[in-house]
Amino acid sequence: MTETVLDVKSKIREVADFPKKGILFRDITTALNDAETLKVMIDYLCDQFKDVKIDYIAGIESRGFIFGMPMAYKMNAGFVPVRKPNKLPAATYSQEYALEYGTDKIEIHQDAFPKGANVLIVDDLLATGGTANAACKLIKKAGANLVGIAFLIELCELNGREKLGEDCGRVVSMLKY
């Protein structure tokens, strides 16, 4: 049986008031633990970039790792983790981004990929776009060619896509809320 996008969407659990009151959390664990649904999600995201040579997948910590690794395997590409501060052992590039209250930062190794490599960023969720935009800047800082970003879920009402701009390449999301 071949699942559709609607079938996948039906596997996402909604949890009210998590992580705080007023938030409706989209829990992907209920989709991840179903083998066919997991396959459909990975295949869908890979298919969106099948017309582009991808040298590396850059997965944003931590759920970008979940999708990024199997995508890298399927697309015959390397995998580069985009991590929270002080998690990578060698010299890094850092990029700060704004949060609702304050700032945060993500990092990649300076030698993550050669100059001009084609890189696809992967994460589970596009909300406000802050983390994804910071990841775009990191890839550019490292001298790579950013071909796009793939998300499982996009929360459209938060307008994160607008924050990304043309420098981030093609932006794809499987499920839109």
Side-chain angles (χ1 to χ4, degrees), residues 8 10 20 36 41 49 70 74 118-119 154 161:
V8 172
S10 74
K20 62 183 184 179
E36 182 62 26
M41 292 185 295
F49 292 90
K74 183 174 172 125
N118 285 342
V119 177
E154 180 176 353
R161 187 179 286 258

Side-chain angles (χ1 to χ4, degrees), residues 3-161:
E3 289 191 51
T4 67
V5 171
L6 287 177
D7 293 327
V8 172
K9 201 170 197 177
S10 74
K11 300 276 174 63
I12 306 292
R13 175 174 36 204
E14 296 180 349
V15 181
D17 299 321
F18 183 84
K20 62 183 184 179
K21 190 162 182 57
I23 302 289
L24 180 61
F25 187 79
R26 312 290 180 176
D27 180 15
I28 65 171
T29 62
T30 48
L32 293 173
N33 71 11
D34 181 83
E36 182 62 26
T37 303
L38 179 59
K39 181 179 181 333
V40 168
M41 292 185 295
I42 298 301
D43 288 348
Y44 178 91
L45 294 173
C46 288
D47 285 349
Q48 303 310 300
F49 292 90
K50 67 183 176 194
D51 60 330
V52 181
K53 167 103 173 76
I54 305 293
D55 300 310
Y56 296 89
I57 301 284
I60 299 174
E61 187 170 343
S62 67
R63 288 172 293 200
F65 297 176
I66 293 170
F67 295 99
M69 284 296 295
M71 288 176 67
Y73 177 80
K74 183 174 172 125
M75 299 174 92
N76 196 33
F79 179 80
V80 174
V82 178
R83 302 284 324 255
K84 294 174 183 170
N86 305 311
K87 300 285 185 183
L88 296 170
T92 61
Y93 291 117
S94 296
Q95 185 64 50
E96 200 169 84
Y97 61 98
L99 298 169
E100 189 176 356
Y101 300 104
T103 61
D104 207 346
K105 188 187 303 186
I106 54 174
E107 300 178 336
I108 60 168
H109 277 132
Q110 289 181 4
D111 62 356
F113 29 73
K115 304 283 187 235
N118 285 342
V119 177
L120 172 65
I121 296 171
V122 176
D123 204 1
D124 68 319
L125 179 73
L126 173 59
T128 63
T131 309
N133 191 46
C136 291
K137 290 177 180 175
L138 276 178
I139 301 307
K140 297 285 188 177
K141 226 182 246 189
N145 175 36
L146 179 58
V147 299
I149 311 177
F151 299 98
L152 178 67
I153 295 173
E154 180 176 353
L155 303 178
C156 298
E157 69 275 6
L158 298 178
N159 299 314
R161 187 179 286 258

